Amino acid sequence: SWPHSLIFDKQHLLHRLYTLQQQDRHISAETIVRVAGEFNLPVSQVASVVDFYSFFYRKPVGRYHMLLSNCTSCGYQAGKTDLLKMLCRSLNVDPGVTRADGLVSISETSCIGMCDHGASMLINGIPLVGLDETKVTRIAGLVEQQLTLCQWPQDWFQITRSIRQSGMLLNNTGSSGNSLTKALSAGPGRTLDMIEHSGLRGRGGAGFSAGKKWRLCREATGDAHYVVCNADEGEPGTFKDRVLLQCHAGALFEGMTICALVIGARKGYLYLRGEYRYLLAHLQEALELHYSNNLLGCSILGHAGFDFDIEIVVGAGAYICGEESALIESLEGKPGVPRIRPPFPVTHGYLGQPTAVNNVETFIAAAYIVTHGSDNFRMAGTEQSTGSKILSVSGDCRNPGIYEYAFGVSIQEILDDCGADNVQAVQIGGPAGTLVAHRDFRRRISFEGVSTGGSFLVFGENRDLLTVNQNFARFFAHESCGFCTPCRVGTRLMEGSLQKIVDGRAVAADIEEIKRLSSLIMRYSHCGLGHTAANHMLDSLRQFPGLFEKRIMQQAFSPQIDLEAALETARQITHRDDADAHLD
Ligand code: SF4
């Protein structure tokens, strides 16, 4: 089913690169040439893929390769001690540099979706949670002893489900084929009517009507139609898909199969974020169960002519691949650079064919609707936001975890449930979302109120919001795919401006510059990442202006960039150190 250039020896390009990297601990120039030959691709295309994804390495990483999550919520700086520095010190290694004996390398990475488990890391791709000073000391000892991860305390790798409040979706544990049986007896047209009538909107945050998307895709002409599940949740503070994939994979596969029935697809892909690779075996097992129960494969549940297969493709650490057209590019074995739209994926998606892309929660909701009826679904929620929303709650609260509410729940109600006291603000929908201050906690979660893909980050009164902004700015600068200048350069400048404020080197004009820069990034960037990258800054400036003003300590302007220092690389490359190669 894969086009020849994307598949070799039954492996997708990303998987092949990952396998070879596992053997050599990096991807060498020779490996790139070899893979290009295997896949019949230009060497430059394979090289661009390797360079695009954070989890591919050109230089060898350590036999113990650790990536500490720098998410605001679960980050290694959350406590008093900077755990990354401590770990590096204990193992005598610099961040981002492999130790000379090749034993260990330590870096940081964006949110790994373990925000309900405290400070966390990926070690050789496997999540290790609940980091603290004691654990870091023990980890250093275990690494030096070169014990395999199987010999480490196994409770360090225990990822709990932490479901704190269940509603219609989380209570619905069945993957018995119920919803699929009903969809098959209703037929594709009436099933689509049901989804449309339910008012289901995509749960990723933008809220486009799922029924409308499916209808547009069904009506689009093409050689083939595709179903794609976006399981690439990378918004810092979001981890609900992790739990859904763990506990409700069956309902997800049924939702995807129902979509296939409606749009006339024979092939579907589950694009799993690289940080959740550890779930792959579980998901493959759930898939096999569906095949053995004839819920997938040929003549599904005895319906001749209804054939549908699902394959899982694992990403390699790129937040931008959560954007649907970037995800499709990645599925096609390319760097995940967002496409120019229109045309939209519903008409020109995977391999240029009509493609319905929805996220994990949306497909599970679709399966629920077919089982229980659209009226049942509409009974929960509000006029424009029907059904429920699953939230990932973390930050300064006693009970972080997964909470499912009918749309329309107030922010205050969620704070009461998760045990959050003395809260100054909540970041809803991740860094690209909305910062809501204390006085607005009566606002409600819905598409017409405060919209969210699922992240709900609580900031207690002792939290320095400026460092939160700094963390978010760094996140966007790191995750910008670099395709367009306003985002690539603008997010870096934003990071630098914030650093100036935090360091006490800013003047009042710097605040105005941040506003001007924000507007430029938002207006002229190519995709949603750039359009929303400054939301957090503008929200903070609007709601907590004092936060910035009290850090303005200087009257005289100082530049953000040390030009003399910035020229050093150029001097080295050109082998020049004469007077003309310096500014003064
Ligand atoms: Fe890439 Fe940013 Fe431009 Fe989007 S806005 S295409 S992430 S550089």
Side-chain angles (χ1 to χ4, degrees):
S1 57
W2 283 93
H4 177 68
S5 62
L6 289 179
I7 193 87
F8 169 79
D9 199 18
K10 297 190 181 161
Q11 287 191 69
H12 182 261
L13 176 64
L14 295 183
H15 295 186
R16 179 72 178 143
L17 288 169
Y18 181 82
T19 303
L20 293 172
Q21 179 170 272
Q22 289 293 90
Q23 293 165 16
D24 302 339
R25 288 187 283 121
H26 76 299
I27 297 172
S28 65
E30 294 74 34
T31 300
I32 290 173
V33 171
R34 172 180 163 190
V35 171
E38 290 172 356
F39 284 76
N40 196 23
L41 291 170
V43 171
S44 59
Q45 182 174 330
V46 178
S48 68
V49 169
V50 172
D51 291 338
F52 184 83
Y53 295 92
S54 312
F55 291 171
F56 290 144
Y57 307 104
R58 287 278 200 148
K59 291 185 180 159
V61 293
R63 294 203 293 286
Y64 295 86
H65 179 54
M66 301 184 231
L67 293 170
L68 276 76
S69 170
N70 62 16
C71 170
T72 292
S73 184
C74 53
Y76 57 80
Q77 299 129 323
K80 287 196 183 83
T81 310
D82 185 323
L83 297 175
L84 182 124
K85 278 190 188 152
M86 183 183 169
L87 191 55
C88 285
R89 243 190 342 261
S90 309
L91 283 161
N92 196 21
V93 62
D94 290 326
V97 179
T98 303
R99 208 167 81 174
D101 61 1
L103 182 67
V104 60
S105 51
I106 303 169
S107 285
E108 57 177 8
T109 189
S110 299
C111 180
I112 61 169
M114 299 292 154
C115 317
D116 49 342
H117 286 74
S120 305
M121 67 151 111
L122 293 173
I123 175 160
N124 296 347
I126 300 165
L128 190 160
V129 297
L131 288 174
D132 56 20
E133 293 173 36
T134 312
K135 209 175 266 188
V136 162
T137 306
R138 290 186 64 194
I139 287 170
L142 292 166
V143 169
E144 293 294 9
Q145 290 173 60
Q146 304 192 28
L147 295 181
T148 65
L149 295 185
C150 297
Q151 295 168 292
W152 292 27
Q154 290 307 293
D155 58 317
W156 293 3
F157 302 98
Q158 287 297 319
I159 313 300
T160 57
R161 295 168 184 188
S162 61
I163 296 174
R164 303 278 184 178
Q165 177 153 311
S166 305
M168 54 168 60
L169 300 187
L170 291 172
N171 282 332
N172 192 29
T173 51
S175 63
S176 53
N178 236 347
S179 57
L180 196 48
T181 307
K182 289 197 175 178
L184 281 164
S185 86
R190 278 179 45 215
T191 300
L192 177 56
D193 291 343
M194 212 185 306
I195 298 294
E196 283 184 323
H197 181 252
S198 72
L200 174 65
R201 296 170 68 170
R203 271 23 185 178
F208 190 79
S209 158
K212 190 170 178 185
K213 182 180 276 188
W214 291 15
R215 187 173 291 284
L216 287 169
C217 192
R218 173 182 162 91
E219 290 171 355
T221 51
D223 299 333
H225 286 59
Y226 294 98
V227 178
V228 172
C229 176
N230 182 347
D232 194 45
E233 66 170 354
E235 205 70 72
T238 314
F239 47 90
K240 48 114 188 152
D241 284 357
R242 184 197 86 216
V243 177
L244 289 174
L245 291 164
Q246 181 72 51
C247 311
H248 295 269
L252 165 64
F253 295 142
E254 277 195 55
M256 290 176 71
T257 311
I258 290 166
C259 178
L261 177 73
V262 169
I263 68 169
R266 295 165 63 90
K267 185 81 200 180
Y269 296 101
L270 170 64
Y271 187 90
L272 182 68
R273 71 184 302 223
E275 290 80 352
Y276 292 169
R277 179 178 288 277
Y278 78 100
L279 288 173
L280 185 58
H282 160 74
L283 290 169
Q284 293 285 15
E285 216 173 281
L287 259 189
E288 276 161 30
L289 189 66
H290 269 239
Y291 274 102
S292 57
N293 290 334
N294 195 215
L295 297 168
L296 281 168
C298 295
S299 302
I300 292 174
L301 292 177
H303 285 251
F306 180 38
D307 309 333
F308 183 59
D309 289 308
I310 295 177
E311 273 183 41
I312 302 171
V313 174
V314 188
Y319 165 72
I320 191 58
C321 288
E323 196 275 348
E324 63 176 5
S325 69
L327 186 154
I328 290 169
E329 287 285 295
S330 184
L331 267 185
E332 291 183 0
K334 301 178 204 157
V337 175
R339 293 177 177 174
I340 293 167
R341 302 184 304 170
F344 291 94
V346 280
T347 56
H348 296 77
Y350 178 64
L351 302 176
Q353 302 300 319
T355 305
V357 185
N358 282 116
N359 78 356
V360 175
E361 190 179 345
T362 312
F363 281 122
I364 290 175
Y368 176 91
I369 290 162
V370 175
T371 307
H372 298 273
S374 47
D375 286 336
N376 173 294
F377 188 75
R378 291 188 73 92
M379 273 161 56
T382 69
E383 180 70 24
Q384 292 172 47
S385 311
T386 53
S388 68
K389 183 76 197 89
I390 302 176
L391 299 174
S392 316
V393 178
S394 65
D396 303 324
C397 62
R398 287 188 296 281
N399 306 309
I402 302 295
Y403 293 73
E404 183 178 8
Y405 292 99
F407 271 115
V409 63
S410 77
I411 294 168
Q412 187 59 58
E413 203 177 326
I414 301 166
L415 291 171
D416 291 343
D417 288 346
C418 72
D421 308 317
N422 304 320
V423 177
Q424 59 171 320
V426 183
Q427 183 75 30
I428 298 174
T434 312
L435 180 72
V436 180
H438 179 263
R439 58 184 168 277
D440 292 325
F441 286 172
R442 279 166 304 153
R443 292 181 70 186
R444 295 180 181 278
I445 302 294
S446 65
F447 293 109
E448 63 272 37
V450 185
S451 177
T452 172
S455 169
F456 189 96
L457 278 166
V458 183
F459 301 135
E461 61 186 4
N462 294 326
R463 186 75 80 140
D464 178 1
L465 288 183
L466 214 49
T467 62
V468 172
N469 284 125
Q470 216 183 349
N471 180 288
F472 289 170
R474 192 174 46 162
F475 168 76
F476 284 118
H478 180 257
E479 295 297 341
S480 166
C481 81
F483 171 75
C484 61
T485 310
C487 172
R488 183 184 65 248
V489 179
T491 50
R492 290 268 168 221
L493 290 174
M494 184 78 84
E495 189 188 8
S497 297
L498 261 169
Q499 190 63 52
K500 268 183 84 175
I501 295 172
V502 170
D503 293 348
R505 291 188 294 115
V507 296
D510 283 302
I511 306 277
E512 292 312 308
E513 180 58 18
I514 284 180
K515 290 181 188 165
R516 198 187 64 81
L517 190 60
S518 300
S519 149
L520 188 142
I521 300 171
M522 291 169 87
R523 286 177 64 188
Y524 298 112
S525 289
H526 170 59
C527 83
L529 186 148
H531 298 156
T532 55
N535 283 358
H536 67 98
M537 279 296 309
L538 296 175
D539 277 354
S540 287
L541 279 165
R542 252 190 313 267
Q543 306 200 48
F544 298 94
L547 200 65
F548 295 82
E549 285 156 10
K550 74 177 178 209
R551 306 267 186 134
I552 305 291
M553 294 173 188
Q554 293 209 161
Q555 299 301 316
F557 179 82
S558 76
Q560 186 188 121
I561 299 168
D562 180 349
L563 263 183
E564 174 63 20
L567 287 171
E568 183 52 32
T569 314
R571 280 193 292 269
Q572 284 178 10
I573 291 170
T574 55
H575 302 288
R576 280 189 59 183
D577 202 23
D578 54 283
D580 287 346
H582 290 268
L583 291 175
D584 42 43

